[in-house]
Amino acid sequence: MTKIISISNLRFIHNIGFTLIELLVVMIIIGLITTMVTLSVGSREDNTLREARRLTELLKLATEESVISSKEFGLHLTKYGYEFMVLEANNWTTIDDEILRPRQLPSGLELKLLVEGENLNFLLPTNQNNNYQSQSFDKFDKKSKEEIITPHILILSSGEVSPFQIGFYAENQASWQIIGDYAGNFALL
């Protein structure tokens, strides 16, 4: 005997399982979550490397600019940022152009400095909230002995550079170092 199935009987058949669209939506959600976790885990190290590379390239550019313009340049560091300076009329002034502008590191990153083998970390200002755009680094606190901000690293118009090591630290762990020598060569390690 043949059974005839009517359309009215088909209404009661339940679909067991998931549709293709439901599976695709779940796969997309899992992919997005995995991507977010991967990016959040690797972002601190990526920030450190990106900032170390940026400073290395800016140092190379400042060295070339110093030789071409026959001006003495310098790099002034704080624990949480840096600024390039130029010597004009026997005064160090902050360079305020688009490329060599003062920069602040992302939160969680710190700089440590050795110049000519001497640890100069005690000289680095520790104020994390430095607002380089609004501060003038030429002179401040005129009431006391008129403190003048000078660079920690000299970049001379002859192409020579004060030998230095700048360490980039994320959460107090050394990540990257920039090493500069007298000849103006820079290495990122």
Side-chain angles (χ1 to χ4, degrees):
M1 275 203 156
T2 340
K3 282 190 172 181
I4 300 176
I5 300 175
S6 70
I7 295 179
S8 61
N9 289 339
L10 288 176
R11 289 185 206 165
F12 297 109
I13 298 176
H14 291 88
N15 289 335
I16 299 175
F18 298 103
T19 65
L20 183 58
I21 293 177
E22 291 170 335
L23 290 174
L24 287 174
V25 168
V26 169
M27 298 279 286
I28 289 172
I29 291 171
I30 290 172
L32 288 174
I33 291 171
T34 304
T35 302
M36 290 172 42
V37 168
T38 303
L39 290 176
S40 68
V41 169
S43 66
R44 175 93 46 208
E45 188 173 315
D46 293 342
N47 277 342
T48 308
L49 177 58
R50 181 176 50 245
E51 291 300 324
R53 282 183 178 160
R54 175 181 292 143
L55 181 53
T56 303
E57 294 304 316
L58 289 173
L59 282 164
K60 290 176 185 176
L61 179 67
T63 303
E64 291 172 5
E65 183 70 27
S66 176
V67 171
I68 291 170
S69 67
S70 296
K71 292 183 180 180
E72 313 305 329
F73 282 50
L75 180 65
H76 176 81
L77 298 156
T78 68
K79 242 181 149 173
Y80 304 105
Y82 54 91
E83 65 177 333
F84 287 91
M85 305 179 86
V86 63
L87 184 63
E88 294 176 335
N90 292 328
N91 289 321
W92 287 101
T93 57
T94 300
I95 298 174
D96 195 23
D97 69 6
E98 193 61 32
I99 297 171
L100 296 177
R101 73 184 191 292
R103 298 181 190 265
Q104 191 167 4
L105 296 176
S107 64
L109 294 182
E110 287 185 11
L111 296 174
K112 294 193 178 178
L113 176 64
L114 286 166
V115 175
E116 296 182 8
E118 296 292 323
N119 184 346
L120 297 183
N121 291 327
F122 64 93
L123 293 176
L124 299 181
T126 57
N127 182 5
Q128 187 168 8
N129 297 322
N130 286 337
N131 184 359
Y132 288 125
Q133 277 67 20
S134 65
Q135 286 185 359
S136 170
F137 283 91
D138 297 335
K139 296 179 182 178
F140 65 97
D141 194 17
K142 292 182 181 180
K143 293 178 186 173
S144 65
K145 59 181 181 176
E146 211 178 72
E147 188 174 353
I148 298 173
I149 303 299
T150 58
H152 298 105
I153 299 168
L154 296 177
I155 304 169
L156 303 178
S157 59
S158 62
E160 297 174 286
V161 177
S162 306
F164 68 89
Q165 290 181 0
I166 299 173
F168 284 79
Y169 288 76
E171 298 172 2
N172 291 327
Q173 294 183 340
S175 298
W176 295 96
Q177 276 195 347
I178 302 172
I179 299 175
D181 64 14
Y182 282 113
N185 299 313
F186 306 104
L188 179 60
L189 306 172

